Amino acid sequence: MTNTQYSVTGMTCGHCVASVREEVTKLAGVESVEVDLQSGLLSIASSRELSDDDVIAAVDEAGYEAAPL
Ligand code: 9UX
C-alpha cells in the first residue's frame, strides 16, 4: 500500500471536497481518499504507485488544482 499527499487549492465547501474525492477515487488502484477542506490536504492510499499527472488531472477534472507534497 502506498500513501501519497497533495495540496489542493480552490476548495471552499463540502461539495468541492466530494467532487475531488469522486474524481480521485476513479483512478486505478486507489483504495481510499481523504480530503481536508481547511488545510487542502489530499491523502490517497493506493495499491500501486500513482502518477502525479494522473492525480493532478483528476483534481483538475473536479475543478481544482493539486500539487504534490
Ligand atoms: Mo459550490 Mo464548493 O460551487 O465550490 S461546490 S463552493
Side-chain angles (χ1 to χ4, degrees):
M1 189 72 74
T2 306
N3 209 291
T4 36
Q5 271 85 41
Y6 295 82
S7 173
V8 178
T9 51
M11 298 185 298
T12 53
C13 77
H15 297 119
C16 305
V17 170
S19 301
V20 170
R21 282 182 53 88
E22 188 178 322
E23 290 301 327
V24 173
T25 299
K26 289 179 188 171
L27 296 173
V30 170
E31 304 280 349
S32 75
V33 180
E34 286 172 36
V35 183
D36 186 80
L37 177 59
Q38 295 286 357
S39 64
L41 182 69
L42 164 64
S43 184
I44 309 168
S46 56
S47 59
R48 65 177 185 90
E49 198 81 26
L50 297 175
S51 143
D52 284 343
D53 284 348
D54 288 349
V55 174
I56 289 165
V59 173
D60 181 73
E61 194 64 35
Y64 309 97
E65 194 170 337
L69 289 176

